[in-house]
Amino acid sequence: MTANFLFLPFTVVEIERIDLACEVNNTDHHTLLNGVDRLIVRRGQPFTITLHLRPGTHFQNGADINFIAKTGPIPSVEAQTKAKFSLSKFFSRSCWSATAETASDSTVSLTVCSHPNAPIGVYKLILDQGEGVGLGDFVLLFNPWCKKDSVYLSSEAEREEYVLSQDGLIYRGIPKRITALPWFFGQFESGILDICLQILNESPKYISDAALDCSERRNPVYVTRVLSAMINSRGDKGVLEGNWSGDYEDGVKPTVWKDSCSILRQWSNNGCEAVRYGQCWVFAAVACTVSRALGIPCRVVTNFGSAHDSNGDLIMERFYNEFDENIADDSIWNFHVWVENWMTRSDLALGYEGWQASDPTPQHMSDGVPCCGPSSVRAIKEGELTFQYDTPFLYAEVNADVVEYIKLRDGRVFKIGGSTAEVGKSISTKAVGRDEREDITHNYKYPEGSEEERKVFEKANHHNRLAQAGEEPGLHIKIRVTPDMQIGSDFDVYAELKNNTMVTKCCRVMFYAQAVSYNGKLGETCGLGEFTEMNLASTEGKTGGKVTLRLEYAEYSKAITHDRMIKLMALLIDAETRDFYRAKKTIMLDSPEIIVNILGVPKVGQILVADLALQNPLPEPLENCVFTIHGANLTDGKPITHEVGTVGAKEFATAKVEFTPKLPGQRKILIDFTSDKLHNIETYENLVIYE
């Protein structure tokens, strides 16, 4: 730095240069991966800088020396965006403080510690003695390593996973076929922290009252809520625009994204214009990146069978006509993805700290803003619907009851069933330190049908409980599938029938298949059985009949989306009583496996080769086949693509893709395959890179 002057009583100390010791401090503050070009520190933890004095200048330790640390465009002591503190004998971790030690006649080590509840952001450090002398700028982040910080997380393994890890897995699919999508969060990649801070500065709250907004940034509850609104672009200059229409020609298909950095950089480089397009897992992944970058522990969570309660009554009502066509309902997504952030909740009763659910997908308006949360996960489990923020909506997502009706052409409506267990299944997140799925359903709800779960339902003012499912007298229908349902193959699915009465029943059966996307939106019919009439004898609990539906690739390939999901529907009608019975099941077609072989010695600076192969499972050629690899400190922050071109039916697509590791340590290489007819084919390999 250029020469500055330190004014002491009766003495002027000339500072020749200032060493912010970025490498040492950033290492101590777990921000080294951000780089060493500037000082990035965490709340409530000391950092040390060195003042190099001009020859002949002496530093009088213990003199009356004052400092100012300030952030935001309108810093003030009252708003806690400006702190004044003096040089003292010992630094304190409970407030802004500083100590000094004379290392030699020409150098002074200055140690500064911030308040553990200070607002995060970019700070200026000033030595205030007469005229202010700028000592340098630094970025202050939340600190999960500091016990006095409201985001403190006691487990080092969890801090490694939920703050420092740049790789993760996001779960999608259906409960019986859960797939893992590798995702590169990249919170320490070049420029990403600045973009995360830019997101805060583009929020309507900052624009309307910058002083108040910067002051509130001391509270992770407030910051998380701002991020929930700003990750989506509805109503503001947020990052991502949502699109579930299937038409993405003027943007990027949500399934193409595999990392957060590309999205954040595009948003920033294009003048904060919303990036097109995202869906729930993309919104959640970007929110996770920004949260971790700012120091808030965060993880991505997937809820299978996720309810969207449009009227707040905690009941999902579905209406069908006599052909079992859906004519009106509250929506239930096959899966939905949000995030959890770890923090204390001084605004709630003791015991509701810890994981807080927050949903950046723009499907819920909260105080007139498209955001959701943070809501205490324990409050959701206990049915404490008066607790802020948005607990009733999140509670319904995991614990709403489902009631179903059939409406006949003459206007009569019959209740045909319901479930207390359809919503909120296999709630999943990546396990700590392992590439495995952790089921956290128990965090959100008591076991389905348990006394505790039903008591919580009562407390949530829900008095329309359904009878527990079980084998009862009457007619029953159930859908069975085979384990081998790979895309490209033809296969059978079955509707099994039971007659638990004493007499033979004359029945009619309808069985069909329909394409469906992950958010529950139905597409075209891709398999239709004949309307079958049969006499069903008494079976006394055993299977009494079976109807087979053949699903052929030639038909379903024209209807399914990139999600590769098909909804099976079977309807059984008692010809005498006109009672309706129905069954449904969503299946997801298996994708082919990418075979990966890493060739070479895994050392820094040495070229490695990803030897890739994938067999085309389809009975027709694939066009525009492309392999893509990317990984932190493996591919220079950019994906590496290899175009394969056309691959014939049942033939192999192969590629050898070179990459050069930049840093040692445990790394994850992400591999993606896409073509004109196959999408969302992903895998990953764990690598250990040596010096």
Side-chain angles (χ1 to χ4, degrees), residues 58-117:
H58 299 285
F59 182 85
Q60 297 181 8
N61 198 354
D64 185 17
I65 302 175
N66 299 310
F67 299 91
I68 295 173
K70 62 181 182 178
T71 185
I74 315 172
S76 74
V77 174
E78 294 75 20
Q80 300 183 41
T81 50
K82 181 178 181 180
K84 295 182 177 181
F85 51 103
S86 302
L87 196 65
S88 56
K89 204 168 189 180
F90 304 100
F91 69 81
S92 169
R93 294 178 184 265
S94 300
C95 61
W96 285 93
S97 60
T99 63
E101 180 179 345
T102 304
S104 68
D105 289 342
S106 61
T107 59
V108 177
S109 292
L110 180 66
T111 299
V112 177
C113 191
S114 63
H115 195 297
N117 193 37

Side-chain angles (χ1 to χ4, degrees), residues 299-369:
R299 63 186 185 184
V300 178
V301 172
T302 304
N303 176 39
F304 294 91
S306 191
H308 183 177
D309 184 15
S310 58
N311 60 9
D313 64 357
L314 308 183
I315 298 178
M316 310 302 291
E317 293 183 315
R318 289 170 163 171
F319 291 86
Y320 301 86
N321 61 22
E322 53 204 279
F323 297 103
D324 208 39
E325 295 172 335
N326 190 322
I327 56 176
D329 68 350
D330 290 322
S331 63
I332 299 178
W333 293 18
N334 285 309
F335 68 88
H336 183 50
V337 186
W338 58 71
V339 294
E340 290 178 355
N341 300 93
W342 181 273
M343 64 191 72
T344 58
R345 290 296 299 267
S346 59
D347 57 325
L348 302 181
L350 189 65
Y352 291 91
E353 63 280 351
W355 289 117
Q356 313 290 314
S358 178
D359 189 353
T361 299
Q363 61 168 342
H364 175 68
M365 298 298 290
S366 177
D367 296 330
V369 177

Side-chain angles (χ1 to χ4, degrees), residues 31 34 38-41 120 122 139-141 186-199 264 289-290 292-295:
T31 61
N34 286 111
R38 61 176 170 172
L39 183 59
I40 304 173
V41 296
I120 63 165
V122 180
V139 179
L140 187 66
L141 303 177
Q187 66 269 28
F188 297 111
E189 288 289 287
S190 176
I192 295 302
L193 177 57
D194 288 321
I195 297 173
C196 296
L197 294 170
Q198 182 185 5
I199 290 171
L264 291 168
T289 293
V290 180
R292 290 183 182 182
L294 299 179

Side-chain angles (χ1 to χ4, degrees), residues 205-442:
K205 289 183 178 293
Y206 178 86
I207 293 170
S208 64
D209 191 338
L212 178 60
D213 176 76
C214 289
S215 175
E216 292 289 355
R217 292 181 190 179
R218 65 187 184 273
N219 184 357
V221 175
Y222 176 85
V223 173
T224 298
R225 192 154 172 80
V226 169
L227 294 182
S228 176
M230 283 298 296
I231 298 304
N232 71 77
S233 64
R234 184 179 296 176
D236 53 35
K237 297 176 70 175
V239 175
L240 269 165
E241 181 177 336
N243 187 345
W244 289 264
S245 70
D247 180 7
Y248 312 112
E249 287 189 4
D250 58 344
V252 176
K253 295 177 183 177
T255 53
V256 170
W257 303 114
K258 299 297 185 295
D259 72 292
S260 302
C261 300
S262 302
I263 296 168
L264 291 168
R265 286 179 177 137
Q266 181 177 326
W267 175 79
S268 180
N269 293 338
N270 291 348
C272 305
E273 180 180 329
V275 177
R276 298 176 175 174
Y277 289 104
Q279 291 182 0
C280 66
W281 68 92
V282 187
F283 287 110
V286 174
C288 184
T289 293
V290 180
S291 296
R292 290 183 182 182
L294 299 179
I296 304 174
C298 186
R299 63 186 185 184
V300 178
V301 172
T302 304
N303 176 39
F304 294 91
S306 191
H308 183 177
D309 184 15
S310 58
N311 60 9
D313 64 357
L314 308 183
I315 298 178
M316 310 302 291
E317 293 183 315
R318 289 170 163 171
F319 291 86
Y320 301 86
N321 61 22
E322 53 204 279
F323 297 103
D324 208 39
E325 295 172 335
N326 190 322
I327 56 176
D329 68 350
D330 290 322
S331 63
I332 299 178
W333 293 18
N334 285 309
F335 68 88
H336 183 50
V337 186
W338 58 71
V339 294
E340 290 178 355
N341 300 93
W342 181 273
M343 64 191 72
T344 58
R345 290 296 299 267
S346 59
D347 57 325
L348 302 181
L350 189 65
Y352 291 91
E353 63 280 351
W355 289 117
Q356 313 290 314
S358 178
D359 189 353
T361 299
Q363 61 168 342
H364 175 68
M365 298 298 290
S366 177
D367 296 330
V369 177
C371 69
C372 185
S375 174
S376 164
V377 171
R378 188 192 166 198
I380 296 169
K381 180 175 182 176
E382 299 296 338
E384 298 288 359
L385 304 195
T386 60
F387 285 12
Q388 57 184 9
Y389 295 90
D390 308 303
T391 304
F393 183 82
L394 285 155
Y395 176 87
E397 285 195 295
V398 301
N399 219 357
D401 280 353
V402 178
V403 182
E404 297 177 331
Y405 303 90
I406 276 190
K407 186 174 183 179
L408 303 181
R409 279 175 289 185
D410 61 9
R412 289 183 298 161
V413 176
F414 295 92
K415 178 179 171 183
I416 58 172
S419 172
T420 61
E422 182 176 345
V423 168
K425 294 180 177 180
S426 303
I427 303 175
S428 304
T429 192
K430 179 186 175 298
V432 174
R434 310 189 314 277
D435 289 335
E436 298 176 9
R437 184 181 72 88
E438 180 182 356
D439 193 305
I440 57 172
T441 309
H442 61 281

